[in-house]
């Protein structure tokens, strides 16, 4: 906790209400395997309890996206196929939403006992930083998608201070790319 390298990654709405593309990312289909469920049989899928528990601190939302025709060209040269779809995205949430969903006891068990008093209430000058192995995983995954995706990730993803891009952070902390995940997460966080 002394290093404050505890952050993962989420998307959040543009505070300025901007229009247009927000970022380039990979979209992939994964086997449902209990991640989503259709409780009413209406075709309206919602995150399963198991998925919500795995991503417990996030607001899991269905969001629209457009597919790109080419992920190897600069963003302004990339054609949008016009194929609009929806996908699940982990969005920023709040401590209040976490406690409403999971309760104070769970918050204390998962966070409080380790001296973490907030998930989402960190100030911009708090000094919290990305978890090194997880950031490395995200960078490796974005690199695999090509230049457009990695440049978008490095230049359009910001630390909690809302000023420092991932690119600038990695320039200052290149050792992050050498931080391997613990053995039990090696496959999941292998990029």
């Amino acid at each position: 906790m002394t290093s404050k390298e505890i952050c993962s990654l989420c998307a959040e709405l543009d505070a300025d209400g901007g229009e247009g593309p927000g970022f380039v990312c990979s979209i992939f289909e994964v086997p449902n395997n209990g991640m989503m469920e259709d409780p009413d049989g209406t075709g309206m899928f919602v995150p399963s309890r198991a998925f919500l528990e795995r991503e417990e601190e996030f607001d899991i939302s269905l969001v629209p996206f457009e597919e790109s025709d080419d992920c190897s060209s600069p963003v302004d040269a990339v054609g949008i196929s016009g194929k609009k779809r929806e996908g699940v995205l982990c969005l920023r949430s709040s401590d209040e939403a976490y406690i409403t969903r999971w309760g104070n006891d769970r918050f204390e068990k998962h966070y409080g006992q380790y001296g973490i008093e907030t998930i989402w209430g960190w100030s911009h000058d708090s000094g919290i930083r990305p978890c090194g192995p997880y950031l490395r995983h995200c960078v490796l995954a974005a690199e695999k998608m090509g230049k457009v995706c990695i440049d978008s990730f490095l230049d359009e993803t910001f630390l909690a201070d809302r000023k420092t891009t991932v690119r600038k952070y990695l320039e200052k902390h290149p050792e992050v790319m050498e931080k391997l995940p613990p053995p039990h997460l090696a496959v999941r966080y292998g990029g």
Side-chain angles (χ1 to χ4, degrees):
M1 186 62 190
T2 55
S3 73
K4 293 190 177 179
E5 292 180 48
I6 61 173
C7 295
S8 60
L9 177 71
C10 71
E12 59 184 73
L13 297 175
D14 182 351
D16 298 329
E19 292 293 322
F23 57 92
V24 175
C25 66
S26 62
I27 302 294
F28 51 93
E29 293 193 26
V30 296
N32 187 351
N33 293 338
M35 288 181 23
M36 302 293 280
E37 57 191 15
D38 181 6
D40 304 325
T42 60
M44 298 296 295
F45 286 86
V46 296
S48 68
R49 178 150 180 104
F51 185 60
L52 290 173
E53 286 184 3
R54 188 184 103 182
E55 305 293 347
E56 69 178 3
E57 67 273 25
F58 299 105
D59 174 16
I60 309 299
S61 296
L62 199 58
V63 298
F65 68 89
E66 289 186 56
E67 292 182 351
S68 169
D69 292 331
D70 179 10
C71 285
S72 60
S73 302
V75 172
D76 57 358
V78 172
I80 302 297
S81 70
K83 186 173 183 180
K84 295 182 181 187
R85 298 177 56 194
E86 287 188 326
V88 175
L89 185 64
C90 295
L91 295 172
R92 177 185 172 92
S93 188
S94 68
D95 293 347
E96 295 77 20
Y98 181 95
I99 291 168
T100 297
R101 175 176 282 151
W102 304 110
N104 281 314
D105 289 344
R106 184 174 177 137
F107 183 89
E108 182 57 34
K109 179 181 177 189
H110 290 204
Y111 301 97
Q113 72 169 325
Y114 303 106
I116 300 171
E117 298 175 2
T118 183
I119 301 168
W120 298 104
W122 296 88
S123 67
H124 294 185
D125 63 353
S126 65
I128 61 169
R129 301 173 16 189
C131 170
Y134 185 72
L135 178 57
R136 175 186 172 272
H137 160 67
C138 293
V139 169
L140 294 174
E143 282 178 342
K144 287 180 182 177
M145 295 305 300
K147 182 169 176 33
V148 172
C149 190
I150 187 62
D151 285 346
S152 176
F153 180 74
L154 294 174
D155 298 327
E156 298 174 332
T157 304
F158 294 86
L159 274 56
D161 67 5
R162 305 294 197 267
K163 296 179 207 166
T164 307
T165 65
V166 168
R167 185 182 303 276
K168 291 291 184 192
Y169 181 75
L170 290 174
E171 287 170 359
K172 188 173 180 180
H173 298 281
E175 71 278 4
V176 166
M177 294 307 293
E178 304 303 319
K179 291 188 176 183
L180 298 177
H184 70 283
L185 292 174
V187 172
R188 184 173 174 190
Y189 288 174

